[in-house]
Amino acid sequence: MPFSRHELIPGWRDLVTMGPYRRDHWVALRVALAIGAPLVLLWATGSMQLAIFAVFGAFTSVYGRGLDVFARLRLQSIAAGALLVSVGVGALISLSPERGLLVLPIAAAWAFLMSLLGDRVRWAPPGPMFQIFALAAIAALAVDGAVLLRGLGVAVVTAVWSLLLGLAFGGVGELVDRGRAARAAAGGAGAPAQAPGPAAAGASATGAPASGAAASGSLSTGSIRSVRPARSTPLGRAWMFAVGTLVAGAIPLLIGIGHPYWAMVSAIAGLSAATGFHRVLRATHRLVGTVLGLGAAAVLMAFEPSGLVVVLLVIALQGGVELFIVRNYTLGLLFLTPLVLVMGRLAGDVSAGQLLLERGVETLIGVAVAVAIAVVLERLPASSKL
């Protein structure tokens, strides 16, 4: 069947469709605690300059949505290791006076490797987005080695805290499921039929489907259309992410915008979906959600929050991200965009207006790169393998 560009164009219903609610409040609470507790401690000790390291360690908690407690622990442990090594590589790059030139080829190579690792262990969310974000953002820091070493320690402690939270929430979830099953059994055969508990319904009490396939994120885009299956291979996807990272990061560097990793992350986010249509749809979600989020961020930043207020905002916004990001990516970006920008203001060396402009422009660059790659790949003959 010949390729038609109309097959890749999402409609408005694709953008507004909400996925099913799977008790996502438990996931939101777990992730909010994973980032919230370390940030409160950093604020209390006057160490908020290390907050970015805590955030990357806390990204451990976003993995394993929908898995049982021990499967999640295994997956999160692997993800934590990848995140911490990414932070370490970024720290080494930041020590070089040529970090602006080094980060781009190293990030592209790292995207290649992390894509292969992600495919190998089947982590979800799929793709190397968080690892590239960690590497490139840390590489951009202009701080000395002592601060980097302390920051790496903060990232390690936060990652361990996230793993412990996963175990705790998993244990509580199993107890809740068992209690519901016991109460249902005690109701007797003559009792009216009751709705299945979380375990019977394919979900744990921590809020996600027990099936890992349902949580893979590859097709969870809110689309109402059927699409052709992806034709890519693990090696092909790795090259796709490497090229996307390289091109998306090079454009902001050439035009002199200050956060090239935002473009890299936006490109990877779009390309992380499973098919050409879903990649374009995900990229469109990314752009629309970012534009809406920039409006929300502008309102929040107009009040010039600082100190504990920033910490509380980050906790609330992170919870909002996890509540909606799987059900509707645009809505998740409405929370994610102000979260990133509020955190960016902690550095204090860039005005709010400049941050808003750079976030918008670099998201547009990343989205354009993702769509271009998706279209090129879709034009390949059906027999071709990446």
Side-chain angles (χ1 to χ4, degrees):
M1 180 182 295
F3 166 77
S4 171
R5 63 185 177 86
H6 297 293
E7 295 179 14
L8 298 182
I9 301 176
W12 69 269
R13 292 177 65 185
D14 299 307
L15 294 174
V16 301
T17 298
M18 292 288 291
Y21 172 71
R22 294 189 175 102
R23 306 182 71 199
D24 301 295
H25 62 282
W26 285 108
V27 179
L29 178 60
R30 173 165 55 83
V31 177
L33 285 174
I35 183 59
L39 287 184
V40 169
L41 287 175
L42 290 174
W43 169 78
T45 57
S47 303
M48 285 300 286
Q49 74 273 18
L50 303 177
I52 188 172
F53 294 93
V55 169
F56 292 133
F59 279 163
T60 299
S61 62
V62 307
Y63 287 90
R65 182 190 288 247
L67 300 180
D68 64 53
V69 58
F70 292 110
R72 182 167 62 206
L73 176 62
R74 173 185 174 275
L75 186 62
Q76 286 187 342
S77 297
I78 296 171
L83 286 165
L84 293 175
V85 174
S86 299
V87 170
V89 173
L92 290 176
I93 297 173
S94 73
L95 294 175
S96 170
E98 304 298 328
R99 61 179 178 271
L101 297 177
L102 289 174
V103 66
L104 191 56
I106 294 176
W110 200 246
F112 183 90
L113 295 174
M114 290 297 101
S115 175
L116 291 177
L117 176 61
D119 276 344
R120 176 73 175 177
V121 302
R122 301 181 65 83
W123 66 32
M129 181 176 68
F130 292 107
Q131 289 73 27
I132 295 306
F133 190 13
L135 183 151
I138 297 299
L141 296 178
V143 294
D144 59 33
V147 173
L148 292 172
L149 192 59
R150 289 168 55 205
L152 185 57
V154 168
V156 170
V157 171
T158 306
V160 172
W161 164 243
S162 300
L163 293 174
L164 293 176
L165 275 178
L167 282 173
F169 271 67
V172 170
E174 290 189 0
L175 290 175
V176 171
D177 285 348
R178 290 176 184 175
R180 287 180 174 174
R183 288 195 299 270
Q194 298 181 11
S204 73
T206 51
S211 168
S216 68
S218 60
L219 291 175
S220 181
T221 57
S223 171
I224 59 174
R225 302 184 185 183
S226 60
V227 296
R228 292 176 292 170
R231 300 191 301 266
S232 59
T233 64
L235 189 60
R237 285 189 292 274
W239 279 113
M240 176 186 69
F241 285 123
V243 172
T245 300
L246 187 66
V247 175
I251 296 173
L253 284 175
L254 289 174
I255 63 179
I257 299 181
H259 298 82
Y261 51 86
W262 284 346
M264 298 181 196
V265 169
S266 291
I268 293 172
L271 294 173
S272 295
T275 68
F277 169 78
H278 283 84
R279 288 165 184 161
V280 174
L281 176 58
R282 180 66 63 88
T284 306
H285 272 297
R286 185 89 184 182
L287 182 60
V288 174
T290 296
V291 170
L292 297 175
L294 287 174
V299 172
L300 291 176
M301 295 168 70
F303 292 97
E304 300 184 351
S306 62
L308 184 59
V309 175
V310 170
V311 172
L312 296 177
L313 273 176
V314 168
I315 295 171
L317 290 169
Q318 183 65 68
V321 170
E322 297 305 322
L323 274 175
F324 297 106
I325 196 74
V326 172
R327 301 181 65 199
N328 183 281
Y329 197 54
T330 294
L331 195 53
L333 266 293
L334 181 60
F335 293 89
L336 180 61
T337 302
L339 168 64
V340 171
L341 294 176
V342 167
M343 289 294 297
R345 282 292 291 151
L346 292 176
D349 57 348
V350 179
S351 68
Q354 185 177 346
L355 277 178
L356 291 167
L357 177 62
E358 290 182 356
R359 180 70 177 185
V361 172
E362 293 186 29
T363 297
L364 180 60
I365 291 171
V367 164
V369 169
V371 170
I373 291 176
V375 171
V376 169
L377 295 181
E378 199 69 10
R379 287 180 176 274
L380 293 176
S383 59
S384 297
K385 294 288 184 181
L386 291 175

